[in-house]
Amino acid sequence: MIMQKPADHPAVKPEKIGVLLANLGTPDGTDYWSMRRYLGEFLSDKRVIDYPSWKWQPLLQLIILTKRPFSSGAAYRSIWNEAANESPLMTITKDQTAAIATEIGARHGDDVIVDFCMRYGNPSTKSKVQALIDQGCRKILFFPLYPQYAGATSATANDQFFRVLMEQKWQPTARIVPPYFEEPGYIDALAQSVERAYAAMDHQPDILVCSYHGLPKRYLMEGDPYHCQCQKTTRLLQERLGWPQEKIATTFQSQFGPEDWLRPYTVEAVADMAREGKKRIAIMAPAFSADCIETLEEINEEIRESFEHAGGESFTYIPCLNDDAAHVTALCDVITANLKGWID
């Protein structure tokens, strides 16, 4: 016997599965107020800055957010996608999402919907979770696009996802994609990008620097696995390339505040390399799934300047994997593995 819904019953859409990619975020513009909103949200996150609010917020609101939006806005303007009026991270994430959606559609059909959100700024996690639910997604696979886990990246993205689910009357079933720092497809995509870059050079670099975003050293001592996962990514890349250990190095960038951070610091390490006679280096950022302010401005401008000022002669930045075909396939393989049990 088929039960009919009452006439006033809310509409129920056919069930689908959502895949929600999540990246860090981007300001809506480079003006003072856009930058202040973005930086205020980012730097107020307890996962990022874990000082007590009574100590941190007056400093943030009265000093940092008075000055830093100007310098950060200038840095963003140097890399801004003027044609689309958006940051490169936004442009690249859109391209990644489109490519992943196409491949996942080919693998699993129209019942899987792929979209993206940002932890800070727009499009917000809340808006995109709601959009997936509105399309009938009763299962959502949440995928933080950070190869290596850190509390300040993966965990805060997960926190926000679950905060959004707390507001739902009927929560979808949810899964979180774990870090993929040692996935063979990801390591192979990194290696291919290095091999292409080296093949295009007239002279081989003396060393490849793998520069990862830094964290306070205290986080490592408190149990955050990020440092160890970064070291393993470098080792696996070195093994995949078939290189000796001295041809590749792990460093950390983007230090902020007075604490001691994970070392060696990239900006200092590349200068030391130049002074030690390594006049030709290549540098890449394996912790970033897409080029952004930390790669296009910090690495390709500030860190390059440090190397050249110390006597370095050739500095080659190898772009992030972005929407490279091997990267897209690697991410789709991770998605497919995490959809097991939901899809045949």
Side-chain angles (χ1 to χ4, degrees), residues 254-274:
S254 309
Q255 294 75 37
F256 176 79
E259 287 194 70
D260 189 28
W261 281 45
L262 299 177
R263 292 177 183 267
Y265 298 157
T266 304
V267 69
E268 297 175 358
V270 297
D272 290 341
M273 290 173 187

Side-chain angles (χ1 to χ4, degrees), residues 91 98 101 114 130 161 167 203 213-214 219 234 274 283 299 338-339:
T91 303
V114 179
Q130 189 62 58
F161 176 55
E167 301 175 4
H203 302 284
H213 198 289
Y219 290 16
T234 300
I283 187 167
I299 289 180
N338 282 273
L339 288 175

Side-chain angles (χ1 to χ4, degrees), residues 12-242:
V12 178
K13 294 187 176 182
E15 288 194 9
K16 293 183 179 292
I17 295 171
V19 176
L20 187 57
L21 312 172
N23 217 320
L24 182 75
T26 171
D28 294 325
T30 61
D31 60 283
Y32 174 84
W33 290 109
S34 293
M35 292 304 310
R36 183 173 177 124
R37 282 193 301 272
Y38 173 71
L39 291 171
E41 184 181 8
F42 174 50
L43 296 176
S44 293
D45 186 346
K46 287 284 192 176
R47 289 281 196 180
V48 176
I49 307 290
D50 63 356
Y51 301 150
S53 296
W54 65 265
K55 179 187 294 187
W56 174 242
Q57 282 299 320
L59 176 63
L60 176 64
Q61 299 298 331
L62 298 177
I63 298 177
I64 296 173
L65 292 181
T66 300
K67 300 178 179 180
R68 187 157 178 175
F70 291 109
S71 59
S72 293
Y76 268 97
R77 280 192 292 276
S78 73
I79 64 167
W80 201 251
N81 181 348
E82 296 291 350
N85 191 27
E86 62 190 20
S87 72
L89 177 64
M90 179 67 76
T91 303
I92 293 165
T93 304
K94 287 178 178 178
D95 292 342
Q96 286 176 327
T97 303
I100 290 170
T102 297
E103 185 161 340
I104 290 297
R107 295 185 187 195
H108 303 301
D110 296 336
D111 287 339
V112 180
I113 300 172
V114 179
D115 207 341
F116 78 94
C117 67
M118 298 294 183
R119 169 61 184 90
Y120 313 105
N122 297 305
S124 68
T125 305
K126 181 176 181 177
S127 68
K128 290 297 188 166
V129 169
Q130 189 62 58
L132 289 174
I133 291 173
D134 290 346
Q135 294 175 82
C137 294
R138 298 308 320 153
K139 298 182 177 72
I140 296 178
L141 178 67
F142 187 70
F143 191 174
L145 289 176
Y146 307 108
Q148 300 82 16
Y149 175 96
T153 54
S154 307
T156 189
N158 295 340
D159 290 346
Q160 188 69 1
F161 176 55
F162 286 117
R163 273 193 289 267
V164 171
L165 294 185
M166 288 171 65
E167 301 175 4
Q168 292 294 322
K169 293 289 186 187
W170 184 12
Q171 290 180 329
T173 302
R175 285 181 180 173
I176 303 296
V177 175
Y180 56 98
F181 65 97
E182 58 186 348
E183 286 294 324
Y186 160 68
I187 298 298
D188 192 57
L190 288 176
Q192 289 182 43
S193 72
V194 173
E195 290 166 344
R196 285 194 302 270
Y198 274 47
M201 299 180 198
D202 293 331
H203 302 284
Q204 296 298 293
D206 299 309
I207 193 167
L208 171 66
V209 178
C210 293
S211 180
Y212 298 83
H213 198 289
L215 285 177
K217 184 178 179 181
R218 172 172 55 87
Y219 290 16
L220 166 64
M221 307 313 293
E222 292 172 350
D224 194 300
Y226 178 73
H227 175 267
C228 301
Q229 293 183 1
C230 292
Q231 295 286 357
K232 187 166 186 181
T233 294
T234 300
R235 177 175 64 79
L236 292 174
L237 175 59
Q238 173 229 321
E239 292 173 355
R240 161 61 179 78
L241 290 167

